[in-house]
Amino acid sequence: MFRKAVLVAALALAAQGGPAAAAPAAGAAGCGQDAALVGEFVGAYRDAVLGLGGTGRTPSEVRALYLTPELNARLDAWAAAHRLDPVFRAADPPDAWRTGCAGGAVLVVEEWRRGGTLPVRYTVRAADRSITGIGGPQG
């Protein structure tokens, strides 16, 4: 039932021109803020990939705003090896996503209308609010 509700919400918001991004889940201290930051990044990056949002930023520019240079370098190497988008870990951007807290990190569950979900784990450095890690659900 939840999956159907998420799909309906995603389709409704997509018709309005935006993805369905869930509000951050409550959790460990700071995780709500981290989840909000990651959700903001995912939305801005998705818009840049799709050429939406009106900011004129490229995906690389969005990555540079939120991610550490070290992570950007690792993502470039990952993309070259896997031939997929290194942030979404997929060939195309998700239609919707949910963010929440998971073991001291932020877990983003990406969802596609055609079916399928993919959990992606984000690590945020508290000192400067930079994203330092993006990977599979285990890190």
Side-chain angles (χ1 to χ4, degrees):
M1 183 66 172
F2 174 76
R3 186 168 174 76
K4 183 177 179 183
V6 169
L7 181 58
V8 169
L11 291 173
L13 287 173
Q16 297 171 10
C31 185
Q33 291 177 341
D34 291 351
L37 175 75
V38 169
E40 180 182 298
F41 164 68
V42 171
Y45 184 77
R46 180 183 182 276
D47 285 353
V49 168
L50 295 174
L52 304 172
T55 66
R57 289 190 178 121
T58 66
S60 294
E61 290 170 333
V62 172
R63 283 174 43 183
L65 288 174
Y66 290 87
L67 313 180
T68 63
E70 298 81 13
L71 176 57
N72 264 319
R74 289 194 313 266
L75 291 178
D76 289 341
W78 189 94
H82 294 89
R83 296 180 188 254
L84 296 171
D85 183 283
V87 171
F88 297 129
R89 306 295 200 194
D92 56 336
D95 298 305
W97 60 91
R98 295 174 279 139
T99 60
C101 301
V106 175
L107 187 65
V108 174
V109 179
E110 301 172 348
E111 302 172 353
W112 287 264
R113 269 187 227 118
R114 69 177 185 280
T117 61
L118 179 66
V120 180
R121 186 178 182 95
Y122 286 74
T123 306
V124 177
R125 182 171 53 208
D128 62 0
R129 310 280 299 138
S130 294
I131 299 171
T132 61
I134 300 176
Q138 302 306 314

